[in-house]
Amino acid sequence: MADLRERLTAQAEQAARAARAPGPAATLRRARARRRRRLGGRVALSLLLVAGLGGLTSRLLEDRDLASPPQTTAPVPQRAAPLWTAKGPAAESLAPPDRTLRAAGDLVVATTGFAEPGRTLAYDARTGNLRWARRTGPTAFVVAVAGDSVVVAPQYGPLIGLDLATGRERWRFGLADGQGPESGTIAGDTLFVGTSFPAEGAVDPPVVYALDLATGHQRWRAVLDPGTDLQWAAPVVEGGQVLVADTLSHEGSAATSHLHALDADTGRRRWKADLHAPGQGFFAEPPVVAGDLAYLPTASGMLLAVDTRTGREVWRDQGGFPLVAGVRDGLVVALVGGDRLVGFDAATGARRWQTPVGGGESEQWAVLGGDAVLVAGDGALVAVDAATGAARWRAAVGNAVGPPVVAGERVYVATRDRLVALDRASGTMVWSSGKVRSATAPVVTPNRVVVATRDGSLLGFAR
């Protein structure tokens, strides 16, 4: 009954929001102006961008009988209590939400989000003890973490390089007025990070930097196309080149969006591929590279396969907004239209299988974990065989606030009111926390599962 009341309340709130909504174009402009605040989940934003295109997402494979996943039944799971609680992280998540909480070995790095004075904090994941705190300004988020380094930045910079063990500041890299960094990638001794000018009406071109990780010195900078912003996702560094995707700064600011390939050593642009997206739309997911192809969704609702050597489009699918879970054994598996998983032939784009996984109004995420694809949404976690599309199990967990996290033989899901651990093979719930108002997906360290809550706390659980 409580679940029914929660669903009816959510539906009523959604109807009220729809009644006073200014329409997709105005909503996207507002999203651009405050885009570091959490704007909703992956599918929620995708559906906003494809209003009126819903008919495309319901196409089925001809003469294919699609079965629903079986519901997993199990004894009442063990009740798990947190081993420690720490105060200080962001109570209101930045967007994408994974920017506020990151794991690095036995450390958990968190930021205080919009709270003043704005700090970056590192906690011992085993005990919850604070290792260090560094004032980095309000709206600071974790740009990248690897090795002995963590890079953070406020919404409009500067980029700040910190020693991961001590929090000691190593360097600062200033940005221009109104220039905001996106997520970054550390590859070897180099930080690759894109920046945009997200102010309303700005058309300044985005800039990608390669910085020396130890000193913050600029190795190169690449200026991209005016009238565009970079996607939220971190650059993909693969095969000696850096892949970044853009989107329109606002409606009509550019002709279309592109995927850019930059030389990793020099920053020289090798090629750019047309994404056939004349509208604006932000994604938190980077292109997925497998072999010589990159697979990525576009703001126009396509799934594209692009040759990473030349930028040539190899194939496209226009069946609805895709969220790529991963590539395995010659198949690209994507959540399409928010209600079905599709296995595409990686070389040709032909649909090999598709399986319904629900739908509804809640946010949804899909991740590839071993030989199964896990879909969280509509109050459940569903496991589907990545090779055949056969449904393996379905577990009622509640509405997730982020993607499921696979670690060893466990799957961890943070929902609106609890954190749960499930057996990856069977979907049996191993343990469930008490009341936890989760703010983000959990992060997993060698010994702990850590989740941020909406009251500005971190909770550490035994794995």
Side-chain angles (χ1 to χ4, degrees), residues 86-91 110-113 115 119 121 123 455-458:
K87 294 288 187 179
T111 59
T112 55
R119 298 181 299 162
L121 313 165
Y123 297 89
D455 67 355
S457 299
L458 288 183

Side-chain angles (χ1 to χ4, degrees), residues 62-311:
E62 188 174 1
D63 298 326
R64 175 81 182 267
D65 185 17
L66 302 177
S68 297
Q71 176 75 41
T72 295
T73 58
V76 176
Q78 176 184 346
R79 178 62 60 90
L83 300 178
W84 55 261
T85 301
K87 294 288 187 179
E92 181 181 1
S93 295
L94 304 175
D98 62 358
R99 293 182 169 187
T100 53
L101 185 65
R102 299 285 287 274
D106 282 320
L107 282 183
V108 175
V109 181
T111 59
T112 55
F114 294 94
E116 295 284 357
R119 298 181 299 162
T120 298
L121 313 165
Y123 297 89
D124 187 314
R126 296 164 295 186
T127 65
N129 293 335
L130 181 66
R131 289 275 191 90
W132 54 260
R134 172 67 59 176
R135 183 171 294 190
T136 47
T139 73
F141 65 97
V142 180
V143 175
V145 58
D148 64 353
S149 298
V150 57
V151 180
V152 299
Q155 180 171 357
Y156 292 105
L159 293 160
I160 306 170
L162 304 176
D163 183 281
L164 181 59
T166 66
R168 178 181 62 85
E169 184 175 316
R170 292 174 172 173
W171 52 263
R172 289 192 173 216
F173 184 83
L175 300 175
D177 289 343
Q179 187 179 15
E182 307 294 348
S183 296
T185 298
I186 294 173
D189 60 357
T190 305
L191 168 70
F192 300 94
V193 60
T195 64
S196 301
F197 292 83
E200 183 71 27
V203 294
D204 305 74
V207 182
V208 180
Y209 294 94
L211 305 181
D212 185 288
L213 186 59
T215 65
H217 292 160
Q218 178 181 304
R219 290 181 169 168
W220 54 255
R221 66 193 294 266
V223 180
L224 303 184
D225 299 337
T228 65
D229 285 352
L230 291 182
Q231 293 287 356
W232 286 338
V236 176
V237 183
E238 187 80 26
Q241 60 188 11
V242 182
L243 299 179
V244 292
D246 64 27
T247 187
L248 273 62
S249 298
H250 51 267
E251 297 305 315
S253 62
T256 188
S257 304
H258 292 92
L259 176 66
H260 304 263
L262 309 174
D263 187 283
D265 293 327
T266 66
R268 179 183 61 84
R269 184 157 53 189
R270 293 182 175 179
W271 51 260
K272 67 177 183 178
D274 189 344
L275 299 184
H276 311 290
Q280 186 197 57
F282 291 97
F283 291 91
E285 298 75 39
V288 176
V289 176
D292 293 326
L293 296 180
Y295 307 93
L296 72 162
T298 76
S300 57
M302 298 182 188
L303 173 61
L304 293 184
V306 176
D307 191 312
T308 57
R309 298 164 297 183
T310 64

